[in-house]
Amino acid sequence: MSEIDMEVSIGGVLMKNPVMPASGTFAEEAAQIFDLNVLGALVTKSVTRYPRMGNIGPRIAETTAGMINAVGIQSKGSQSMLNTSIPFYQQYNSPLIISISADTADEFIDLAQELSVPGVAALEINISCPNLEDDGRSYAMDPAQTFRVVDYIKKKTKIPLFAKLTPNTNAITEVAIAAEAAGADAVVVANTMLSMAIDVESRKPKIGNIMGGLSGPCIKPIILRMVYQVYKKVGIPIIGCGGICSAEDAIEYMMAGASAVQVGTYNFVNPIGMVDIIQGMKEHAIRHKISSLNDIVGSVCVIGPEDIDEVATY
Ligand SMILES: Cc1cc2nc3c(=O)[nH]c(=O)nc-3n(C[C@H](O)[C@H](O)[C@H](O)COP(=O)(O)O)c2cc1C
């Protein structure tokens, strides 16, 4: 087989391949290590409207097969994104996705409008962050709140909107359905899982914020299951994100229903890991005579109940 079609289109954004970094695990410095043009898209750390200090340390703790982080959306603010980061990323031809984070729906709109500028292909709304209008719970824990905030932002924004969901809900499919109904162009499944670790010598939490978000290979089977469930219920593209460390992991996500993937924690283990993953996906396609990666989306062969509502959950 000569040429493999690696191209995917996510909510109107054309990507040369389905691999992109996960927000908060990638920055301009990556350009010193590899050519960013190889990536399907570039995704920024979540930016807030005004500069934000983030949480007190320690902000990260290693766990078995993963890590806990509570960085707390440290941000230089939207002006710095406009003046420095966007012009920097514009030298690359991979589409730029800006992740935005806000405490209220109005703040999301202000940010979305401010950052809808040439050179920005899409906005990823981090609705996994606390919502001050709902007692600090995240929007994406609840379908009604998700609908409200996505609908509100979508009506006042022209560029594609990707909604990043949280796994900290027992209603992931309902939340994804709500995001789609409100006009999201894609959903990212998902952010980190709420977690905790204790140093038994000092009896202190290992994270300054006490709790933090668990990421890395340990969450992969859980998020993969969520991608599968969401794929069965929504029509918009899904970007799978959680514990991807190899081409095989990425392909597993696509077989479960993801149209593209994001790589997070693995970037800290192997800073050129995404380059290897893209190459590995290409080799998988050649080995299996797959002409387009789009053909593997949702291609898991399920024996048994096709209707996920009938699948036993134990
Ligand atoms: C240090 C760190 C910082 C992160 N910062 C953000 C962020 O600013 N915005 C966001 O939406 N997700 C953030 N995330 C979550 C990742 O984007 C990703 O959803 C999560 O880590 C799961 O993917 P992984 O297992 O491949 O890391 C962060 C994750 C880590 C480890």
Side-chain angles (χ1 to χ4, degrees):
M1 184 171 288
S2 51
E3 260 318 293
I4 305 297
D5 178 11
M6 300 279 283
E7 218 171 68
V8 294
S9 175
I10 307 295
V13 180
L14 198 64
M15 303 181 185
K16 56 178 88 88
N17 65 64
V19 180
M20 64 193 103
S23 175
T25 68
F26 169 86
E28 284 103 307
E29 291 77 12
Q32 294 166 22
I33 311 173
F34 66 94
D35 178 8
L36 303 189
N37 283 321
V38 303
L39 296 174
L42 311 171
V43 184
T44 67
K45 162 97 188 144
S46 294
V47 64
T48 52
R49 185 129 201 249
Y50 300 106
R52 220 179 115 111
M53 292 289 284
N55 290 331
I56 54 160
R59 289 171 162 196
I60 57 167
E62 204 168 325
T63 64
T64 309
M67 66 184 274
I68 301 176
N69 93 81
V71 173
I73 317 287
Q74 180 175 337
S75 169
K76 290 183 181 159
S78 52
Q79 271 312 312
S80 170
M81 181 63 75
L82 284 165
N83 297 339
T84 313
S85 300
I86 294 173
F88 173 84
Y89 287 123
Q90 265 180 322
Q91 61 185 302
Y92 300 98
N93 58 28
S94 305
L96 176 62
I97 300 169
I98 307 277
S99 168
I100 58 174
S101 193
D103 295 329
T104 64
D106 280 329
E107 217 176 293
F108 261 121
I109 293 209
D110 290 343
L111 257 176
Q113 290 181 335
E114 207 180 346
L115 294 170
S116 296
V117 295
V120 177
L123 295 172
E124 182 178 284
I125 49 171
N126 180 7
I127 52 171
S128 320
C129 53
N131 161 16
L132 294 191
E133 290 153 343
D134 189 27
D135 250 356
R137 287 159 44 84
S138 31
Y139 293 97
M141 281 177 163
D142 178 68
Q145 290 289 346
T146 298
F147 183 88
R148 187 176 73 80
V149 73
V150 175
D151 178 61
Y152 199 54
I153 306 170
K154 184 69 191 173
K155 283 190 175 133
K156 304 219 169 151
T157 325
K158 292 205 165 55
I159 62 174
L161 273 194
F162 299 171
K164 184 162 178 184
L165 309 188
T166 175
N168 301 313
T169 172
N170 56 8
I172 190 83
T173 49
E174 290 80 359
V175 169
I177 291 166
E180 178 176 44
D185 296 283
V187 281
V188 182
V189 180
N191 213 307
T192 55
M193 303 197 72
L194 195 60
S195 58
M196 185 173 173
I198 298 170
D199 179 326
V200 295
E201 298 303 322
S202 66
R203 300 193 184 194
K204 287 186 180 151
K206 286 189 178 173
I207 292 285
N209 190 51
I210 305 174
M211 289 176 251
L214 184 65
S215 63
C218 54
I219 67 168
K220 198 197 90 185
I222 302 170
I223 310 296
L224 187 80
R225 178 265 295 172
M226 290 182 170
V227 166
Y228 179 69
Q229 289 177 307
V230 170
Y231 179 68
K232 294 281 170 194
K233 300 285 178 181
V234 305
I236 52 175
I238 300 164
I239 302 172
C241 176
I244 294 172
C245 300
S246 64
E248 191 180 73
D249 291 339
I251 288 163
E252 232 183 306
Y253 266 100
M254 292 186 77
M255 289 180 173
S259 295
V261 294
Q262 292 184 347
V263 178
T265 301
Y266 189 55
N267 292 322
F268 301 125
V269 180
N270 179 2
I272 59 156
M274 288 185 287
V275 181
D276 298 342
I277 289 172
I278 294 163
Q279 182 58 26
M281 291 176 86
K282 197 174 198 170
E283 286 163 13
H284 174 95
I286 293 170
R287 229 174 27 255
H288 291 271
K289 301 191 169 31
I290 297 161
S291 55
S292 166
L293 281 184
N294 291 295
D295 295 344
I296 61 171
V297 176
S299 67
V300 57
C301 301
V302 174
I303 301 160
E306 273 290 332
D307 182 348
I308 54 164
D309 295 333
E310 286 174 16
V311 176
T313 49
Y314 49 84

